Amino acid sequence: MVFDKKKHQAIIDQVEDYIAEHKDTVKQHHWREHYHYQAPVGWINDPHGLIQYQGKYHLFYQHHPFSGKWGTMHWGHAVSEDLIHWETLPEALAPSEEYDGWDGGGIFTGSAVNNDGVMTLFYTGCAQARQVQCMATSTDGINFEKYDGNPILSDPPEGINLHDFRDPKVWKHEGSWYMVTGVTDGVSDLINASNYETNGFGKVCLHKSDNLTDWEFVGYCVESMGELGTMLECPNIFKLGDKHVLMYSPMGMQQRQVVYLVGDLDYRTGKFHWSTMGSLDWGFDYYAPQVFDDENGRTLIQAWIGSWPFMPWCDGTYDTSELGWYGSITLAREVSLCHDGKLKFTPVQEVEKLRHSPKRHTELELNDGEKFAFEAGDNVHCEIIADIDLAASDCDSVVFEIRSKGEQKTLIELDLKKGELAFDRTQSGSRSALRRTCPLECASKDRANIRIFMDSISVEVFTDGGRTVMTNNIFSDEDSAGLYVYAKNGNVRIETLKTFGMKSVAE
């Protein structure tokens, strides 16, 4: 089937006209982010195709431009020179084929490579009867043409559900190209995303190619019996030091949105032999991260700040959907491997460009329940860094109370007695009013550090030296802006509390 360039461009033009008509209204709302990337209009989810090409960082993302709800997916596109200031470009890919063709049912998550100067995109095309893997290319990083020979990979291994064969991540190793995809051997239905179910066991497939168009199945990297998830979405394999990391977003694992496995990949058999398992982020609203390497030698990762309607804490409705948009993208994080095989995540240094109005408090001695009020820019778009002397403290918990006014507040709690980090949005104003906890390593140590990035709705929390991270959305009133820190059941000594306002980079 030959790619119809004019038809594809006509759909993109329709999207751009819709965005131009609605973006000024959308950007006025106080829940629009100031320094986290959002599409100007519409629903977004998975970031993908992350690559540094011709000196610029490229961010593609799942985009339904015509409403704030999940729908027929397009590929949105933005570029940046510093990972902070993003310029939205026209849609890169749109579903231009018939519903029973390559991608008429939507264009799902994929990846990008630089193939001898040609930016080459890989994506999942949704046809009526199946999901297939497709390819598109560009020599300028802006205008893309779908490959006339699509799909490049139409058949999953025998026994795999044809509706669950997606999210190709492609990379080069020793002269050959490799692709991982997420699959399941169960029965599922993605026609209605608000009622998605899968009843099988998730797997990660590995395929190999010498030319990017002809692919052979190598083997399954991992095969879940339920313990690794029922569907392993958005798999990535990448190398850190002398180890490989496999990460994916599992369905059927409740509080684990994104899992990483550290071990060794056998390229001959496709088997991934792992020894360490962890969570990239413990928050409600962190999904589908993708990894890429930049020209500075950093391994970087970005993810969707949002949540699916089939998650157990989501009732299928979203706080901003009726406003014509939903979803944002995390700050870029650098990934590194710790001595014990676990991963740690550090916000890229470029984010410090946004700081203003610095404030610093030292040697704070807070008694049981005594709230210390502090300022951080406008108290909504800010960064908070605290170093806590646990050896000189005897409290059960240290609590940061943010976006506080009257009955409305959000709590970030270092529970030293239970050894947990807790994020409590039961009183934040969000529809999903829940509390989540995860293990806190520093609870048994002499010192603790916490770094919090707050934007209009997103909150990214880093502790345990970046080994423990939580990302969540909160939808608080515009004037809920109080900031406090206090101890529970004892006293706390905070050696330093540093705060910064954060400049807006919104287009």
Side-chain angles (χ1 to χ4, degrees):
M1 188 181 298
V2 177
F3 169 55
D4 188 336
K5 186 175 181 179
K6 288 185 177 180
K7 181 180 179 182
H8 186 249
Q9 187 60 48
I11 297 174
I12 290 177
D13 291 344
Q14 181 184 10
V15 171
E16 295 310 304
D17 289 344
Y18 185 89
I19 290 174
E21 180 182 353
H22 293 87
K23 67 180 181 179
D24 287 342
T25 300
V26 165
K27 72 180 182 181
Q28 300 301 321
H29 200 275
H30 65 87
W31 280 340
R32 292 290 292 179
E33 299 275 63
H34 279 205
Y35 62 95
H36 287 78
Y37 180 78
Q38 293 179 307
V41 172
W43 163 287
I44 69 173
N45 54 279
D46 310 359
H48 49 255
L50 303 181
I51 190 173
Q52 191 174 13
Y53 177 77
Q54 296 181 353
K56 289 188 176 182
Y57 294 99
H58 288 254
L59 164 68
F60 300 89
Y61 50 90
Q62 292 282 268
H63 189 204
H64 182 239
F66 302 115
S67 80
K69 299 180 180 179
W70 189 92
T72 303
M73 289 291 104
H74 300 55
W75 270 35
H77 188 195
V79 295
S80 174
E81 294 184 353
D82 62 0
L83 294 165
I84 303 298
H85 299 83
W86 293 95
E87 175 191 0
T88 301
L89 297 180
E91 300 288 279
L93 296 174
S96 59
E97 307 308 314
E98 299 300 325
Y99 189 48
D100 58 352
W102 314 335
D103 58 28
I107 296 180
F108 279 10
T109 298
S111 57
V113 301
N114 185 338
N115 182 26
D116 293 329
V118 177
M119 184 189 288
T120 305
L121 306 183
F122 301 89
Y123 65 91
T124 295
C126 291
Q128 184 174 19
R130 60 177 58 208
Q131 294 177 349
V132 296
Q133 315 318 316
C134 302
M135 187 174 77
T137 58
S138 172
T139 55
D140 62 7
I142 299 175
N143 301 288
F144 295 87
E145 295 192 9
K146 298 176 184 177
Y147 175 55
D148 284 340
N150 278 336
I152 57 171
L153 185 56
S154 59
D155 296 315
E158 185 177 355
I160 294 301
N161 184 350
L162 299 180
H163 289 281
D164 278 329
F165 174 40
R166 58 181 175 270
D167 309 332
K169 181 68 167 74
V170 177
W171 74 99
K172 199 169 193 178
H173 174 74
E174 294 183 351
S176 295
W177 296 99
Y178 291 87
M179 174 197 294
V180 283
T181 50
V183 301
T184 183
D185 58 7
V187 178
S188 64
D189 179 13
L190 197 56
I191 302 300
N192 180 3
S194 64
N195 189 33
Y196 185 90
E197 292 183 0
T198 183
N199 302 310
F201 296 134
K203 306 174 190 287
V204 173
C205 284
L206 182 68
H207 284 79
K208 179 181 179 181
S209 174
D210 292 326
N211 58 11
L212 292 177
T213 57
D214 301 300
W215 295 87
E216 61 174 318
F217 176 61
V218 179
Y220 294 116
C221 299
V222 293
E223 299 182 70
S224 174
M225 295 300 290
E227 80 285 5
L228 299 179
T230 55
M231 172 61 189
L232 280 50
E233 292 199 303
C234 305
N236 280 222
I237 287 183
F238 57 100
K239 200 162 185 191
L240 287 177
D242 60 353
K243 290 294 181 181
H244 281 84
V245 179
L246 167 61
M247 70 179 190
Y248 60 91
S249 297
M251 295 180 178
M253 289 191 72
Q254 299 299 322
Q255 291 199 9
R256 285 186 184 265
Q257 258 92 283
V258 185
V259 167
Y260 69 81
L261 306 173
V262 179
D264 300 294
L265 175 63
D266 185 335
Y267 280 89
R268 183 181 60 82
T269 65
K271 291 292 185 289
F272 188 81
H273 304 283
W274 59 275
S275 56
T276 303
M277 182 179 188
S279 287
L280 273 82
D281 190 298
W282 291 89
F284 290 105
D285 298 301
Y286 185 93
Y287 201 80
Q290 187 165 104
V291 164
F292 70 106
D293 293 331
D294 76 354
E295 294 170 359
N296 297 318
R298 298 180 296 183
T299 299
L300 303 175
I301 187 170
Q302 289 185 275
W304 172 40
I305 308 179
S307 192
W308 285 111
F310 48 77
M311 295 296 188
W313 54 87
C314 187
D315 62 3
T317 57
Y318 297 93
D319 298 74
T320 64
S321 286
E322 299 307 318
L323 300 173
W325 57 275
Y326 180 79
S328 59
I329 305 298
T330 61
L331 297 174
R333 305 171 184 176
E334 186 172 0
V335 190
S336 54
L337 185 66
C338 299
H339 64 88
D340 61 355
K342 290 190 175 182
L343 302 185
K344 71 173 183 178
F345 307 91
T346 307
V348 293
Q349 189 174 9
E350 288 91 330
V351 73
E352 297 177 13
K353 295 179 181 179
L354 302 178
R355 289 174 171 174
H356 68 85
S357 307
K359 294 185 181 298
R360 181 185 179 94
H361 306 275
T362 59
E363 298 182 358
L364 294 175
E365 302 276 357
L366 303 181
N367 298 320
D368 185 6
E370 175 190 358
K371 287 189 177 182
F372 177 76
F374 61 95
E375 295 180 355
D378 64 3
N379 284 14
V380 174
H381 312 94
C382 58
E383 178 185 359
I384 302 165
I385 303 174
D387 293 295
I388 305 167
D389 185 349
L390 298 182
S393 307
D394 62 3
C395 59
D396 288 346
S397 295
V398 182
V399 182
F400 289 83
E401 182 177 318
I402 64 174
R403 300 302 301 270
S404 178
K405 184 180 180 181
E407 297 296 318
Q408 198 168 88
K409 58 187 175 183
T410 297
L411 305 179
I412 302 169
E413 181 176 359
L414 301 170
D415 190 326
L416 307 174
K417 185 176 182 179
K418 294 182 179 179
E420 293 179 341
L421 171 67
F423 192 100
D424 187 338
R425 65 182 185 190
T426 57
Q427 300 174 76
S428 71
S430 302
R431 291 181 181 176
S432 176
L434 295 171
R435 182 176 186 269
R436 170 161 283 187
T437 64
C438 70
L440 180 67
E441 296 176 2
C442 66
S444 60
K445 302 183 185 303
D446 290 338
R447 312 186 68 78
N449 176 275
I450 188 168
R451 189 177 184 186
I452 303 169
F453 290 92
M454 293 170 51
D455 208 337
S456 300
I457 55 175
S458 63
V459 184
E460 296 189 60
V461 181
F462 298 79
T463 188
D464 289 336
R467 289 158 60 98
T468 302
V469 189
M470 266 199 183
T471 302
N472 295 292
N473 281 327
I474 57 175
F475 297 91
S476 300
D477 295 340
E478 187 173 11
D479 60 352
S480 293
L483 293 175
Y484 305 92
V485 61
Y486 60 92
K488 287 172 61 175
N489 299 323
N491 304 325
V492 65
R493 176 184 172 86
I494 301 177
E495 286 194 349
T496 59
L497 174 63
K498 297 185 291 185
T499 68
F500 305 89
M502 299 293 276
K503 299 173 186 175
S504 176
V505 299
E507 293 181 303

